[in-house]
Amino acid sequence: MKQPGQQTVNKGETYQIEITDMTHDGEGVGRVDDFAVFVPEALPGDVVLARVISVKKTYARALIEKILTKSNQRITPVCQKAEWCGGCQLAHMDYKHQLAWKQRYVEEALNRLGKIETKVLPIIGMENPEGYRNKSQFPVGFADSKLVMGFFQKRSHQIVDTDHCRIQHPLINKAFQSVKQVLRDLRVEPYNEINHSGVIRHVVIRVSFCNHALMIVFVTRTDDFPHRDELITCLTKELPEPASVYQNINSKVTNVIFGSESRLLWGERYIVDRIGDLQFAISPRSFFQINPIQTKVLYDLVKGAAALTGTETVWDLYCGIGTIGLYLAADAKQIIGVESVEEAVADARFNAALNGIEHARFIAGKAEDVAPKLLQEGLQPDLVVVDPPRKGCDPDLLATIKAVEVPKVIYVSCNPATLARDLRILTEYGYQVKMVQPVDLFPDTSHVETVVLMSRAKD
Ligand SMILES: C[S@@+](CC[C@H](N)C(=O)[O-])C[C@H]1O[C@@H](n2cnc3c(N)ncnc32)[C@H](O)[C@@H]1O
């Protein structure tokens, strides 16, 4: 007799599946004879016919062939390419239910993985959840006898040739169309991933929400950039004012977009955007939150949780271009930012000067390596803010936080699973979770940002 959870499905066969849940990647989850089946684009409440494409030990994956009963969470995506494009995992789910799902995702991660029983404040969503992105990275290739540029198709490296993306700022869409047309007109050779030939691999476009300046980065396989000058002449004629045009060279066989060398071809070194009262200069490879409207909400939450009085030393770890530290600077005695990307540290220093902030210092290096050195220098923090990438904090850094006995930690996270793992460690180190606030920075996708305030339990 089959045990619950034991494999009962076969690859290539079609099953009727009632979807009851969703994975953290936004795939529907149903069961066939108690065996878990993940179904991309299926929503809780759907009943689907789905064909199994792979079977693992504890779960299978199946693709929808027909929706027999539609979930009440299902909408017709506004984007006509949503069915193919891999950019938005939740374009077929109405926004109210997206928010409810993200809320539950954070709650369950903290509960199950973090073993933390705490109230999670209601997620802060967007009033108008479109046109919010200030940056996009478009792969370039060749298909149907022409250059194509857009987004990778779901589960593939085929490029969906796109003309418009509803979550991008309108100027990114405009610039994208102009760039694609100019590349086609000049017959610039697109990259061929299969034999690692051709020139243009990606076009990365950034926009400043505050002054509409554009940064366009051509990522090339080769150092040589044929048609470069004509390209710039045509582009600068076509677009309102591209503030800066860069070439970035990436000659490796890799899925990583940027190479290490960026060359300014035209215009300004940076584009400048604004969050609240502060201005931030951003260079091509530096991290800057992709949704400036919700970033203000996020940073205001951090500021509120920090409740600084002007006497504190603040460590801003994983500081990017210095945004959070500089946002807190007016209320602190000193800010020390640590960031591993040198270019971002240069931006952070520039940003401190741009905003007339003299009591912020930025150090290039890994947070886990630099933090113990700060202690040796006697720079004991009163508040530590961490905002790590998806993989979360390095365990050595958490151990330093424990050793420092810092009274307050604010954790800004873009991944509830690693957040929960790290919070569990910090609670074992004597910290208590005081506030958990999810914020939706990424409507139509399965991502969610969370701010957590922790304080050290008194012995
Ligand atoms: C999620 S971003 C946050 C940036 C910034 N706090 C913000 O709000 O824009 C994470 C940053 O951590 C940096 N980073 C990654 N690993 C690091 C490490 N081990 N030590 C320091 N910085 C790191 C990345 O380059 C990136 O800029």
Side-chain angles (χ1 to χ4, degrees), residues 38-58:
F38 298 163
V39 187
E41 289 112 64
L43 295 174
D46 279 339
V47 179
V48 299
L49 282 181
R51 187 175 46 82
V52 172
I53 53 162
S54 67
V55 183
K56 305 271 191 246
K57 232 177 171 176
T58 54

Side-chain angles (χ1 to χ4, degrees), residues 287 289 299 318-320 323-324 339-341 365-368 387-389:
F287 180 92
Q289 290 285 3
Y299 291 177
Y318 308 89
C319 71
T323 42
I324 295 181
E339 160 64 42
S340 60
V341 173
K366 290 187 174 173
E368 56 273 24
D387 183 7

